[in-house]
Amino acid sequence: MGHPFPIREIARQAGLSEATVDRVLNGRGGVRESTAQEVRRAIADLDRQRTQVRLVGRTFMVDIVMQAPERFTTAIRAALEAELPSLHPAVLRSRFHFRETGPVGELVRILDRITRRGSQGVILKAPDVPEVTAAVGRVEAAGIPVVTLVTDLPASARRAYVGIDDRAAGATAAYLMGQWLGERPGNILTSLSSGFFRNEEEREMGFRSAMRARHPERTLVEIAEGQGLDATQYDLVRAALERDPDIRAVYSIGGGNIATLKAFDDLGRDCAVFVAHDLDHDNTRLLRAHRLSAVLHHDLRQDVREACHTVMRAHGALPPAGPSLPSAIQVVTPYNMPPQATAV
């Protein structure tokens, strides 16, 4: 396994012992395939990050822990690595712990493992459940600052939250939905990936409150627990459409939009208005094809940069600053897509 990195550096990136890394690199056996994959991922991460930073100055090793669909974690990884040069003269190195779904216990084990082995910070996207809140408390008690990204854990000991005002985003979606549906009849499907993510819960509350105030005649039909994954999302949407022939619009809070539109298509149903979140690869293609009416987006690079700065402030590497303001909510249509999206 060719590479230009010292074993100590690979071990630190992978969160493994130097002896384990040495066994993997030299093919000595006695190592699980999953461990060998962790070593390979660590080398790939080091190689990718090496092209964007000089390994000089003060170094911060930060763990990125996220439960989210692959399309979102890919966007987060790209945003972080694009921001690395802006952090000079400090150097930020990152270990990624991504999963699409799974039991909460797995997230807790990841956080506890980080607590034991050490880190300069954790950037976290996780469900707002007591087990995760308790694990965040243990991470912070070990002197490791935790920053929640795009979805908050307000009852936890986390250092800061970085992201949009989700209630305002939900209300914005309701405003657009009401304007674009106009006097046309029809019910609205609201789709959450999970009721345990605080950001989705806040968006749904903002949407429901604004619709009740401005358009009380509209019926909202909710589906949840599709995890933003196409396979599960399709079945949930199709079942909802078969139960309710009056659904004519969608507010997608949690993703899985390709599957949602396929369910409409397969039943020969029209979706008059479709408002979604996040300008990931899927939504970029759907918006360009005019399958989405609008995407509520925020600058992930700015969010990631602020999260990194928060970690650095916790270690005294930057001067103190006041609380972070919510990220700006951008309403993106097929006609005002940002340059980086049109290049996808």
Side-chain angles (χ1 to χ4, degrees), residues 136-160:
V136 169
R138 294 191 290 273
V139 177
E140 282 277 356
I144 302 170
V146 177
V147 181
T148 53
L149 183 70
V150 307
T151 185
D152 198 12
L153 303 171
S156 74
R158 56 96 173 115
R159 195 66 51 103

Side-chain angles (χ1 to χ4, degrees), residues 51-80:
T51 66
Q52 302 183 62
V53 301
R54 291 183 302 116
L55 301 182
V56 297
R58 186 167 179 181
T59 299
F60 296 87
M61 178 62 79
V62 176
D63 288 272
I64 320 297
V65 182
M66 293 197 162
Q67 179 173 314
E70 183 272 337
R71 61 181 178 273
F72 185 79
T73 55
T74 296
I76 288 291
R77 185 193 290 265
L80 176 63

Side-chain angles (χ1 to χ4, degrees), residues 8-238:
R8 177 176 300 176
E9 194 171 347
I10 298 170
R12 187 181 184 203
Q13 180 74 25
L16 301 169
S17 71
E18 293 181 32
T20 298
V21 172
D22 182 71
R23 285 200 299 274
V24 172
L25 295 179
N26 292 287
R28 294 200 178 96
V31 179
R32 293 192 300 270
E33 175 57 26
S34 61
T35 302
Q37 289 177 358
E38 289 182 32
V39 173
R40 288 192 286 269
R41 279 196 297 269
I43 292 172
D45 287 341
L46 286 170
D47 189 59
R48 188 167 48 249
Q49 294 172 35
R50 183 184 61 163
T51 66
Q52 302 183 62
V53 301
R54 291 183 302 116
L55 301 182
V56 297
R58 186 167 179 181
T59 299
F60 296 87
M61 178 62 79
V62 176
D63 288 272
I64 320 297
V65 182
M66 293 197 162
Q67 179 173 314
E70 183 272 337
R71 61 181 178 273
F72 185 79
T73 55
T74 296
I76 288 291
R77 185 193 290 265
L80 176 63
E81 293 177 350
E83 282 301 308
L84 292 180
S86 74
L87 302 176
H88 284 192
V91 172
L92 186 138
R93 303 280 293 283
S94 48
R95 292 184 292 232
F96 298 99
H97 314 269
F98 294 157
R99 52 177 233 158
E100 290 197 309
T101 187
V104 169
E106 291 182 11
L107 275 176
V108 171
R109 283 191 287 275
I110 290 170
L111 292 171
D112 285 341
R113 188 165 68 245
I114 292 169
T115 301
R116 289 192 300 271
R117 75 184 180 196
S119 177
Q120 272 72 56
V122 172
I123 298 174
L124 177 66
K125 179 185 183 295
D128 184 12
V129 295
E131 299 91 330
V132 173
T133 294
V136 169
R138 294 191 290 273
V139 177
E140 282 277 356
I144 302 170
V146 177
V147 181
T148 53
L149 183 70
V150 307
T151 185
D152 198 12
L153 303 171
S156 74
R158 56 96 173 115
R159 195 66 51 103
Y161 162 68
V162 176
I164 62 174
D165 179 334
D166 286 294
R167 288 210 187 201
T172 300
Y175 175 79
L176 296 173
M177 187 72 70
Q179 292 291 310
W180 288 336
L181 279 177
E183 299 301 318
R184 288 177 290 177
N187 298 338
I188 301 170
L189 183 70
T190 63
S191 170
L192 295 83
S193 72
S194 172
F196 293 107
F197 284 102
R198 175 62 64 122
N199 66 328
E200 296 191 18
E201 181 183 54
E202 294 280 340
R203 291 172 187 176
E204 193 275 338
M205 287 190 289
F207 183 82
R208 188 174 293 276
S209 176
M211 289 300 297
R212 187 183 300 119
R214 298 177 62 88
H215 305 282
E217 75 284 0
R218 296 284 182 191
T219 297
L220 306 184
V221 180
E222 180 180 313
I223 59 172
E225 305 310 319
Q227 306 301 323
L229 305 177
D230 286 339
T232 49
Q233 183 72 6
Y234 177 86
D235 292 338
L236 289 170
V237 175
R238 182 166 182 139

Side-chain angles (χ1 to χ4, degrees), residues 263-316:
F264 272 87
D265 292 343
D266 287 353
L267 292 174
R269 298 273 289 274
D270 177 55
C271 184
V273 181
F274 196 133
V275 179
H277 279 271
D278 300 319
L279 206 57
D280 56 33
H281 285 193
D282 285 356
N283 285 345
T284 295
R285 289 192 290 269
L286 292 173
L287 193 61
R288 187 185 296 123
H290 292 243
R291 299 303 309 275
L292 303 180
S293 307
V295 171
L296 301 182
H297 182 61
H298 56 286
D299 188 342
L300 286 179
R301 287 185 58 172
Q302 176 182 323
D303 288 352
V304 166
R305 181 168 63 249
E306 179 58 30
C308 293
H309 284 172
T310 300
V311 169
M312 294 164 70
R313 288 188 196 102
H315 293 282

